[in-house]
């Protein structure tokens, strides 16, 4: 399956294609892009940028990006003039559709000496700024310009997410922030941060120090290219509360909501290794697990004891104030019932609560956790196993295994986020790549084109149920994503395709147009230094490709 390809940069080739392209290379495709008569706007040194009705930090952000990526220094201006860039809040901006879509809508006009972005909200202005940054092209004199045109735009879906697993491999705060910047460029608005796993608990919890002093460290990791064996190298890391604040603040400045995932009752070996009283210790012969050193589904689960719920409540109290978003993801996936089947205590709970089997016990467990979240003003979201044994009417479900779970949940009145393996698992293989274990993946086959064919509304969904599909999300499980360059290589450009699925109207989407616009994205990806996968499977930045190797383990 693997092929050997030379690691040559294709950016120049792709950029050359982009210049020949007829439509602006925007991803995601806006609702409407209309060329207008007029000359392109030259992006010259000192071009004024004014903000009207919103925080001037937006202009600072635009100036900083142009300085860093183009070496063009725009100038902040106190008021709008007839030349320069104006970011203007306009409560009367026409935007059809749901209230949340209008909140993110914007209009952009460019030509002559002025570029104007109008929106009802700062979030809309920020979206328009991302479009503007994508519209910047080189002029014939080697400078930069923005073509004369009008853009009218609003998103199709409310939840446009990417999930990063920081449990299997740890990404530093700077790396997580860098990934969030990349997401913002493509108008994603939800960062699902997978923070606890069998292989590592990654969030500091005051009052429970062992979750990070024990749970954040594993003795070794699976060996590269030979995952059944250990590499003998201790590995770990965690985020302090201050780190979490930094990331949440960074995301919020880019209008991205951070959804924390704290996994339960499965994928909890690291938590049980830290606090064995959380485990099903009444099973004869049960021994405390270690923080897992191999991948795959682990048999250890949290015990359904009052003490467990007490600790979950205390963990929620300690960490949920860090996350201003409405949702908390509690996992719920891949929780084997073997331990509950063997635990006399778990069996007693089932009897007391008239639960027919361990699946109903799982449902009971999740509903107890949902109560804890509701008491704290939060909403529960979980993977589609949360419907096994009965789905709480108020839970939101992330559909990953089978679309039938979406159909059932929608009929039941639940909201869903579509995250199926078939179209959104960016840890899956994506086609040919250089012949090296550095490019190993978990398997599967999800080429770019398949991502682009994704239609998040399940076939046959009744029209009155469509609004229950909040949106869609791409997954970056990190068993084989051990470094930032590898993350970028696996995410981009597949996440560009998903960004368009999540944002653009179905009628605005077409594969030939997308591939041409994607080629035109090369200068932007290059400016941002993203090590994306090129058409032939090689990484875009050969000098970074060597850094596809694992992180040096963080020190304790
Ligand atoms: C999952 O991929 N286990 C949600």
């Amino acid at each position: 399956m693997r092929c050997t390809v030379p690691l040559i940069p294709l950016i120049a080739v792709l950029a050359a294609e982009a210049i020949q392209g007829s439509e602006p290379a925007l991803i995601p495709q806006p609702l409407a892009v209309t060329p207008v008569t007029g000359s392109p706007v030259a992006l010259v040194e000192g071009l004024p940028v004014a903000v009207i009705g919103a925080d001037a930090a937006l202009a600072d952000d635009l100036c900083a990006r142009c300085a860093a990526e183009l070496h063009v220094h725009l100038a902040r201006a106190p008021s709008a003039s007839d030349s320069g860039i104006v970011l203007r809040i306009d409560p009367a901006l026409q935007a059809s559709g749901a209230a949340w879509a209008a909140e993110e809508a914007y209009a952009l006009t460019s030509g002559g000496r002025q570029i104007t972005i109008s929106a009802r909200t700062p979030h809309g202005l920020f979206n328009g700024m991302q479009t503007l940054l994508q519209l910047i092209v080189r002029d014939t004199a080697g400078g930069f310009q923005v073509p004369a045109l009008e853009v009218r735009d609003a998103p199709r879906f409310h939840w446009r997410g990417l999930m990063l697993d920081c449990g299997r491999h740890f990404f530093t705060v700077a790396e997580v922030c860098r990934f969030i910047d990349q997401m913002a460029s493509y108008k994603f608005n939800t960062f699902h941060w997978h923070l606890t796993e069998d292989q590592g608990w990654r969030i500091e919890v005051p009052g429970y120090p062992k979750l990070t002093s024990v749970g954040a460290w594993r003795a070794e990791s699976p060996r590269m290219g030979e995952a059944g064996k250990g590499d003998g190298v201790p590995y770990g890391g965690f985020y302090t509360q201050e780190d979490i604040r930094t990331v949440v603040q960074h995301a919020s400045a880019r209008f991205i909501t951070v959804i924390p995932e704290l996994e339960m009752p499965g994928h909890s070996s690291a938590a049980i290794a830290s606090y064995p009283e959380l485990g099903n210790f009444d099973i004869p012969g049960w021994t405390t697990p270690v923080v897992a050193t191999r991948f795959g589904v682990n048999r250890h689960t949290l015990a359904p004891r009052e003490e467990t719920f007490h600790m979950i409540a205390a963990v929620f109290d300690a960490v949920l104030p860090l996350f201003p978003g409405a949702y908390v993801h509690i996992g719920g996936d891949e929780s084997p019932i073997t331990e509950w089947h063997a635990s006399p205590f778990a069996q007693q709970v089932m009897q007391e609560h008239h639960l027919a089997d361990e699946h109903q016990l799982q449902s009971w467990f999740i509903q107890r956790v949902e109560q804890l979240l509701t008491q704290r003003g939060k909403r529960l979201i979980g993977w589609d196993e949360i419907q096994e044994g009965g789905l709480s009417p108020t839970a939101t479900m992330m559909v990953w295994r089978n679309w039938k779970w979406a159909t059932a949940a929608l009929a039941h009145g639940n909201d869903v986020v579509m995250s199926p393996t078939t179209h959104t698992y960016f840890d899956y293989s994506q086609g040919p790549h250089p012949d090296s274990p550095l490019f190993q993946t978990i398997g599967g086959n999800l080429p770019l084109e398949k991502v682009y064919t994704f239609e998040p509304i399940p076939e046959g969904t009744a029209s009155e149920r469509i609004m229950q599909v909040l949106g869609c999300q791409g997954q970056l499980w990190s068993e084989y994503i051990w470094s930032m360059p590898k993350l970028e290589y696996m995410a981009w450009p597949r996440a560009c395709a998903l960004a368009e699925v999540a944002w653009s109207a179905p009628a605005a989407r077409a594969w030939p147009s997308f591939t041409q616009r994607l080629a035109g994205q090369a200068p932007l990806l290059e400016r941002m230094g993203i090590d994306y996968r090129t058409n032939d499977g090689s990484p875009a930045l050969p000098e970074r490709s060597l850094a596809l190797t694992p992180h040096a383990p963080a020190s304790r």
Side-chain angles (χ1 to χ4, degrees):
M1 182 187 86
R2 307 218 160 143
C3 76
T4 307
V5 287
L7 297 178
I8 50 160
L10 290 194
I11 285 170
V13 179
L14 294 174
E17 281 174 29
I19 288 161
Q20 288 155 19
S22 52
E23 60 179 330
L26 293 172
I27 294 178
Q29 180 75 305
L31 268 183
V33 183
T34 318
V36 296
T37 49
S39 56
V41 181
L43 216 68
V44 291
E45 281 290 308
L47 189 75
V49 185
V51 182
I52 298 169
D55 194 325
L58 282 171
D60 291 337
D61 186 33
L62 185 60
C63 293
R65 291 233 10 220
C66 287
E69 295 172 21
L70 310 171
H71 308 292
V72 173
H73 300 89
L74 310 180
R76 283 275 313 287
S79 57
S81 65
D82 59 2
S83 95
I85 300 173
V86 182
L87 311 173
R88 186 194 304 275
I89 293 291
D90 176 2
L93 182 86
Q94 294 291 317
S96 54
W100 54 261
E103 290 247 310
E104 290 208 52
Y106 68 92
L108 183 153
T109 311
S110 147
R113 289 160 48 175
Q114 196 167 58
I115 298 169
T116 304
I117 301 174
S118 313
R120 293 188 190 194
T121 67
H123 192 175
L125 289 183
F126 183 80
N127 287 332
M129 273 167 46
Q130 304 318 306
T131 298
L132 171 58
L133 285 159
Q134 292 193 7
L135 284 170
I136 298 169
V137 289
R138 279 211 177 269
D139 61 24
T140 46
F144 294 99
Q145 64 181 27
V146 175
L149 45 66
E150 284 176 8
V151 177
R152 202 166 43 77
D153 205 3
R156 179 182 182 202
F157 287 110
H158 192 21
W159 185 302
R160 304 184 305 278
L162 290 178
M163 186 280 297
L164 178 60
D165 168 11
C166 290
R168 273 52 173 262
H169 281 100
F170 179 73
F171 291 82
T172 64
V173 169
E175 289 170 332
V176 173
C177 289
R178 177 180 160 91
F179 187 61
I180 286 170
D181 290 346
Q182 296 170 3
M183 290 176 62
S185 287
Y186 290 99
K187 301 189 178 76
F188 285 99
N189 66 0
T190 305
F191 174 57
H192 170 174
W193 199 1
H194 186 80
L195 285 166
T196 71
E197 250 311 329
D198 291 314
Q199 292 81 10
W201 179 284
R202 304 281 176 229
I203 176 168
E204 179 187 37
V205 182
Y208 293 93
K210 287 195 281 180
L211 285 172
T212 43
S213 68
V214 174
W217 309 95
R218 59 178 182 251
E220 61 177 2
S221 306
R223 196 183 292 180
M224 188 190 293
E226 231 179 337
K229 295 189 179 152
D231 65 3
V233 183
Y235 184 93
F238 66 91
Y239 305 102
T240 64
Q241 295 231 318
E242 200 45 42
D243 290 339
I244 302 279
R245 278 188 206 97
T246 301
V247 169
V248 170
Q249 208 279 330
H250 187 88
S252 139
R254 285 148 187 81
F255 300 91
I256 290 178
T257 303
V258 180
I259 311 288
E261 181 176 351
L262 307 170
E263 269 267 17
M264 57 191 84
H267 289 280
S268 295
S269 300
I272 301 168
S274 310
Y275 292 95
E277 59 270 34
L278 289 171
N280 295 290
F281 52 80
D282 61 327
I283 298 172
W286 188 91
T287 53
T288 305
V290 294
V291 179
T293 60
R294 298 292 186 276
F295 301 136
V297 177
N298 196 296
R299 77 191 146 84
H300 289 287
T301 53
L302 300 180
R305 291 178 187 276
E306 288 312 305
E307 292 83 347
T308 306
F309 296 113
H310 181 78
M311 180 163 160
I312 292 170
V315 170
F316 283 168
D317 285 336
V319 306
L320 296 192
L322 298 169
F323 299 98
Y327 289 93
V328 174
H329 202 300
I330 54 76
D333 60 314
E334 297 179 326
S335 188
I337 58 170
T338 29
E339 281 205 341
W340 284 354
H341 196 66
S343 157
F345 180 80
Q347 294 298 312
Q348 187 188 319
V349 173
M350 283 167 51
Q351 255 183 7
E352 274 168 19
H353 296 279
H354 312 291
L355 304 171
D357 57 24
E358 289 78 10
H359 296 296
Q360 287 194 6
L361 179 57
Q362 149 111 347
S363 172
W364 176 84
F365 188 106
I366 299 292
Q367 293 192 32
R368 289 285 305 266
V369 173
E370 186 178 22
Q371 282 165 16
L372 299 177
L373 288 176
T374 308
Q375 286 158 9
R376 288 158 181 79
K378 297 289 188 186
R379 299 189 62 178
L380 179 141
I381 183 165
W383 298 109
D384 60 35
E385 287 91 333
I386 64 170
Q387 48 70 39
E388 280 166 14
L391 180 59
S392 152
T394 43
T396 299
M397 201 168 82
M398 210 165 248
V399 178
W400 72 283
R401 293 176 305 173
N402 192 312
W403 292 61
K404 71 182 178 191
W405 302 128
T407 306
L410 291 171
H412 195 243
N414 295 78
D415 290 345
V416 300
V417 173
M418 296 305 292
S419 318
T421 54
T422 48
H423 295 82
T424 69
Y425 268 47
F426 298 157
D427 55 331
Y428 281 15
S429 294
Q430 49 189 333
H433 53 73
D435 188 14
S436 156
L438 293 174
F439 292 85
Q440 186 182 3
T441 70
I442 200 157
N445 179 31
L446 181 52
L448 178 66
E449 189 163 2
K450 177 90 186 277
V451 179
Y452 198 74
T453 62
F454 182 29
E455 170 44 54
I457 306 285
E459 224 177 292
T461 300
S463 55
E464 69 275 15
R465 299 281 177 208
I466 284 175
M467 292 308 281
Q468 291 167 232
V469 181
L470 302 184
C472 54
Q473 180 176 285
Q475 286 32 263
L476 287 142
W477 296 108
S478 67
E479 284 93 335
Y480 300 92
I481 299 183
W482 36 57
S483 69
M484 194 66 199
K486 182 85 181 267
L487 171 61
E488 292 173 6
Y489 177 84
M490 297 303 284
W492 308 105
R494 288 188 290 187
C496 293
L498 185 70
E500 187 146 313
V501 168
W503 178 280
S504 306
R509 287 209 268 135
W511 174 248
S513 153
F514 175 76
T515 51
Q516 188 172 25
R517 285 179 286 112
L518 184 59
Q521 288 292 306
L524 178 76
L525 294 163
E526 182 184 14
R527 264 161 36 203
M528 295 181 69
I530 298 179
D531 205 359
Y532 63 95
R533 179 184 186 275
T534 63
N535 288 343
D536 71 358
S538 60
L541 304 175
E543 72 278 12
R544 281 187 84 211
S545 64
L546 291 177
L548 288 165
T549 47
H551 284 286
S555 56
R556 241 179 225 258

